[in-house]
Amino acid sequence: MKKNKMADLFAVAQQAFDSRDYKRAFSSLNKFKRAKTEIKFEHVLLEAKVNLALKKFEKALLFKTAGEQLAVSAKQKVEWHNYVAEIYQARHQVEGVIYHLEQSLALDKSIANAVARHRLLTHYVQQEQYDKAREVGYKLLDWQGYFISAAFLLMDCVFATDDKTEGLKLAKSLTGHSDYLAEKEMIHIFNKLLKVKAIDEAQLFVEKEKKSKGVQYWHQIAQAIILVHQQQISRAITLFKEIKGAGSIYEMDFHRALRDFYFNARQESQFFALAGDFHDDYFNLVYLEEYVSLEEHDKLITYTVQPGIAPFLHCMADYNKLISYWLLGRLDDCVALLRTNKEFISISHQGHPKHLKIPHIFMVYIQALVRDRLRKKPEAQVPGHQVIYVIGESHALGLHDQIFRCGDSSYQGRVKFIKGIQMHHLAGEGDNKYKYYLRRHLGSIEDNASVLFTIGEIDCRIGKGLSLAAKKLRRPLDELIDQTVKGYIEYIKLSLQTKPIKKVYIQGIPAPNIEKYPWLDLAGHVRLIQKVNVLLKSQVLAQQWFFIDVYAATSDVSGWSHGKRHLDACHLKPSLYEDVTAWIASPQ
């Protein structure tokens, strides 16, 4: 009788869960557990599902070991791995998701486990693990219901690995299913064709779309973009201005195409001169992406997004304004803007779509900097300190107005910010916007000043930067490190040949401070950072410059960060720079 009652309690819990009455399911499960009946796999699985539905993620993970132990059959093990992957997904821990989906697929490669295969393909592409993506993805093309989404993901994958032939084949197969594709998906295919310079294919694609669906607004914009890629700039601008439409975020694609053309042609000033020709928000927002690196802060902070524009464009404008307020020392305005975006900031960046991750990361980082600065006395224009110009990406921001001491020298930081700059941007052949901004910033600095470069941490992130490039290019990692570091230092050396500089400081790469998930190559990541620092230090000292060994300042005996000098997973606390004497390597 008691056994039947317990079975009924579990059935009630299952029924409540199926009807999305999660609190009732939770209550029934607790009554079921108090009876101290034998716990089976299905009991643990349901309890994990209920806790996940109630957003009790940590509690859901507590059942991880029990589930693994109770899962006896292969089917149960597959089901368990898939559900643990969902828990990690809810916690925005992508590495955990991938690990458990891989375990699931290793146990069941059939169509019955196609959902796990598709989820794994999606994460592989998002994490730029393209070889693995191709390995699991092509099977999905044979299964009805998965073809379109799998073909999209694989197209991104093969184009990213420069397999143009296969990418065009997938794009062509997708256009054969155009009746089932939304407008944004068609535009995605069009943009991919342009990215690999398949201009003729892009033109044919648009013409085919016009014939099958009639002329649409994005078809007209696409034609103008094609003219830009064909270097017919006057015709492109004329056509774009003639297009009659209600306004669309796809207009940003046209403006970005113009920007890329002028930057690649080293005619940056001509792009910025177009500000008087266009009077739409979308051009202004593309312009905004460059304002911060141009130090046109006054233009940026006075820019107002027009009512009715897409919400994500407000975020784009606000995070650029926030950087400018910080660099202008306007902390009250920083606080006000952070308060306006409180809800946006409160969500983990993993929970935002890809185009909002960078705005979110910057807002969270500057919020931490503002809080740190407000706890201290203001240091603006402290007498007796020389100015040191800090050129770099987000790591430079913490040094703005920060006191920087090194032995007998005492400086106050003035940041020359270049959004997203990496060592490989300067090491590679040809020109790009990062080299342009570096030259521009150096030209704005007075002669015989001191300069600090904080570039390189992004190149060294786990599973990205150098390690990912080595896999994609199929080159030895050590060879790529050598080329990148030496090319970076050589470009700075050439850039300084016509600029008298008193002292040059180069900052190394800090110890990693990310969570130590068991599925990550932690030892390999530490070795990469150590190798970069060793080579960077030798190259810097050979130029008679100064090397700031932030790795030594932040690492413990394992080579990992001890956490005392990190502000977050990547950035350092400004207080580290209050006296770096102990971590300076000086030329002989």
Side-chain angles (χ1 to χ4, degrees):
M1 186 75 178
K2 184 178 178 182
K3 186 175 181 180
N4 290 337
K5 185 178 180 181
M6 292 306 102
D8 288 344
L9 276 174
F10 182 74
V12 169
Q14 182 68 65
Q15 186 179 22
F17 177 80
D18 292 340
S19 61
R20 300 188 178 184
D21 188 350
Y22 303 125
K23 290 184 178 179
R24 186 181 173 207
F26 185 79
S27 174
S28 297
L29 277 172
N30 280 337
K31 291 177 184 177
F32 175 78
K33 285 165 62 180
R34 284 198 293 270
K36 297 183 178 179
T37 55
E38 181 186 0
I39 301 298
K40 297 180 181 179
F41 172 74
E42 56 266 29
H43 304 152
V44 173
L45 180 62
L46 181 59
E47 189 155 15
K49 287 182 176 182
V50 170
N51 278 284
L52 178 60
L54 293 171
K55 298 185 178 181
K56 298 181 178 181
F57 305 134
E58 298 302 327
K59 194 168 182 181
L61 272 180
L62 290 177
F63 299 101
K64 184 170 176 288
T65 303
E68 289 170 354
Q69 292 171 346
L70 291 169
V72 177
S73 69
K75 183 179 179 181
Q76 287 178 332
K77 290 178 181 178
V78 168
E79 190 174 10
W80 184 247
H81 280 300
N82 287 341
Y83 214 78
V84 174
E86 285 192 39
I87 297 172
Y88 278 114
Q89 180 75 53
R91 299 177 77 215
H92 308 299
Q93 294 176 346
V94 178
E95 294 85 357
V97 177
I98 290 175
Y99 174 80
H100 284 282
L101 289 176
E102 286 175 339
Q103 299 302 308
S104 169
L105 207 59
L107 291 165
D108 183 2
K109 295 181 173 64
S110 73
I111 192 171
N113 204 24
V115 172
R117 183 183 289 270
H118 186 267
R119 288 176 65 198
L120 189 55
L121 169 63
T122 302
H123 286 294
Y124 278 153
V125 174
Q126 288 174 347
Q127 298 300 307
E128 300 181 333
Q129 298 181 35
Y130 298 123
D131 288 341
K132 290 183 177 180
R134 296 178 78 156
E135 187 179 328
V136 303
Y138 275 95
K139 186 68 177 174
L140 289 166
L141 298 179
D142 299 330
W143 293 338
Q144 189 176 3
Y146 291 95
F147 174 82
I148 290 177
S149 58
F152 261 106
L153 290 164
L154 287 167
M155 181 183 68
D156 288 351
C157 169
V158 297
F159 276 144
T161 52
D162 299 323
D163 189 345
K164 184 175 177 179
T165 302
E166 182 63 20
L168 293 176
K169 180 180 175 183
L170 286 164
K172 188 176 180 180
S173 69
L174 280 166
T175 57
H177 294 75
S178 62
D179 290 343
Y180 303 98
L181 300 179
E183 184 179 90
K184 66 178 182 180
E185 292 171 325
M186 304 304 294
I187 292 168
H188 182 76
I189 297 172
F190 172 73
N191 286 334
K192 283 294 177 184
L193 292 172
L194 291 179
K195 192 169 183 179
V196 296
K197 302 190 185 319
I199 310 302
D200 292 340
E201 288 85 351
Q203 178 77 64
L204 289 171
F205 172 71
V206 173
E207 291 301 324
K208 181 181 176 182
E209 272 290 288
K210 284 182 182 178
K211 288 177 182 178
S212 64
K213 296 181 179 177
V215 178
Q216 297 180 21
Y217 187 49
W218 84 265
H219 293 148
Q220 296 173 297
I221 296 175
Q223 190 60 58
I225 292 171
I226 287 170
L227 289 172
V228 173
H229 282 269
Q230 293 172 338
Q231 301 184 24
Q232 300 181 52
I233 305 303
S234 295
R235 283 187 62 198
I237 292 174
T238 300
L239 176 61
F240 182 80
K241 288 180 177 180
E242 290 173 352
I243 295 171
K244 303 298 182 184
S248 164
I249 58 171
Y250 306 133
E251 292 177 15
M252 290 185 73
D253 292 332
F254 174 76
H255 296 313
R256 284 181 174 136
L258 276 179
R259 178 193 62 190
D260 293 343
F261 169 80
Y262 282 117
F263 271 74
N264 291 335
R266 296 192 69 172
Q267 297 173 353
E268 301 88 355
S269 60
Q270 292 188 40
F271 169 72
F272 296 120
L274 292 173
D277 289 354
F278 295 104
H279 303 286
D280 60 89
D281 273 308
Y282 301 106
F283 179 82
N284 289 329
L285 285 164
V286 173
Y287 203 170
L288 275 181
E289 293 174 356
E290 312 302 333
Y291 267 156
V292 173
S293 297
L294 286 166
E295 297 192 307
E296 297 187 25
H297 302 301
D298 290 335
K299 289 183 181 179
L300 200 158
I301 60 179
T302 55
Y303 174 71
T304 303
V305 178
Q306 296 301 311
I309 201 166
F312 88 85
L313 298 176
H314 284 274
C315 294
M316 287 177 59
D318 281 356
Y319 99 91
N320 282 294
K321 285 185 179 183
L322 186 62
I323 297 169
S324 284
Y325 281 138
W326 171 257
L327 293 174
L328 291 169
R330 293 170 57 168
L331 296 187
D332 290 344
D333 289 313
C334 286
V335 171
L337 198 54
L338 288 166
R339 193 176 293 122
T340 300
N341 289 276
K342 183 178 179 181
E343 184 177 349
F344 175 72
I345 294 169
S346 67
I347 303 171
S348 165
H349 80 272
Q350 295 287 358
H352 287 294
K354 189 173 182 179
H355 59 271
L356 290 181
K357 289 186 187 300
I358 290 178
H360 183 270
I361 289 168
F362 267 100
M363 285 191 181
V364 171
Y365 173 43
I366 295 180
Q367 178 175 257
L369 288 177
V370 169
R371 287 172 176 172
D372 180 80
R373 186 62 54 85
L374 290 174
R375 285 193 292 265
K376 300 176 181 178
K377 294 179 180 179
E379 296 173 332
Q381 300 299 326
V382 177
H385 294 293
Q386 307 171 59
V387 170
I388 186 167
Y389 292 96
V390 187
I391 300 177
E393 26 80 344
S394 57
H395 284 74
L397 294 176
L399 281 130
H400 194 66
D401 280 339
Q402 173 67 33
I403 298 303
F404 174 86
R405 293 185 180 88
C406 175
D408 296 332
S409 300
S410 184
Y411 303 99
Q412 188 165 21
R414 288 289 179 272
V415 170
K416 299 286 185 178
F417 178 62
I418 306 176
K419 193 187 297 180
I421 189 171
Q422 300 177 45
M423 290 190 293
H424 77 86
H425 291 139
L426 303 181
E429 295 181 1
D431 203 31
N432 55 52
K433 70 177 184 178
Y434 303 100
K435 291 181 178 180
Y436 167 70
Y437 289 139
L438 182 67
R439 294 192 300 268
R440 184 183 174 108
H441 285 325
L442 286 173
S444 71
I445 294 170
E446 67 269 17
D447 290 349
N448 299 312
S450 293
V451 181
L452 164 62
F453 293 91
T454 62
I455 301 169
E457 187 273 332
I458 302 176
D459 296 89
C460 298
R461 291 183 182 172
I462 192 164
K464 300 180 181 179
L466 287 164
S467 59
L468 178 61
K471 291 178 182 177
K472 286 172 64 175
L473 299 172
R474 292 180 170 83
R475 290 181 57 188
L477 180 57
D478 287 356
E479 179 184 295
L480 198 59
I481 290 173
D482 188 78
Q483 176 186 314
T484 302
V485 172
K486 288 181 178 177
Y488 161 53
I489 296 301
E490 182 63 23
Y491 187 79
I492 291 178
K493 175 186 172 184
L494 291 172
S495 300
L496 293 175
Q497 282 183 345
T498 58
K499 186 72 180 180
I501 294 293
K502 186 177 181 181
K503 286 183 179 180
V504 176
Y505 296 86
I506 304 287
Q507 178 170 295
I509 314 303
N513 193 45
I514 58 174
E515 292 190 56
K516 301 179 184 178
Y517 296 118
W519 47 82
L520 298 177
D521 181 11
L522 303 176
H525 184 46
V526 168
R527 283 195 299 273
L528 181 151
I529 291 175
Q530 289 173 336
K531 286 178 182 178
V532 169
N533 276 309
V534 168
L535 181 57
L536 196 53
K537 180 178 178 180
S538 66
Q539 292 292 305
V540 168
L541 296 181
Q543 300 298 329
Q544 298 298 299
W545 298 340
F546 296 84
F547 180 71
I548 305 178
D549 193 350
V550 290
Y551 182 78
T554 55
S555 63
D556 59 18
V557 292
S558 71
W560 213 257
S561 170
H562 49 59
K564 298 175 184 176
R565 297 189 176 96
H566 269 87
L567 189 67
D568 56 27
C570 301
H571 303 100
L572 302 174
K573 292 180 179 177
S575 58
L576 180 147
Y577 300 95
E578 289 174 358
D579 192 346
V580 297
T581 304
W583 305 302
I584 284 284
S586 304
Q588 299 296 323

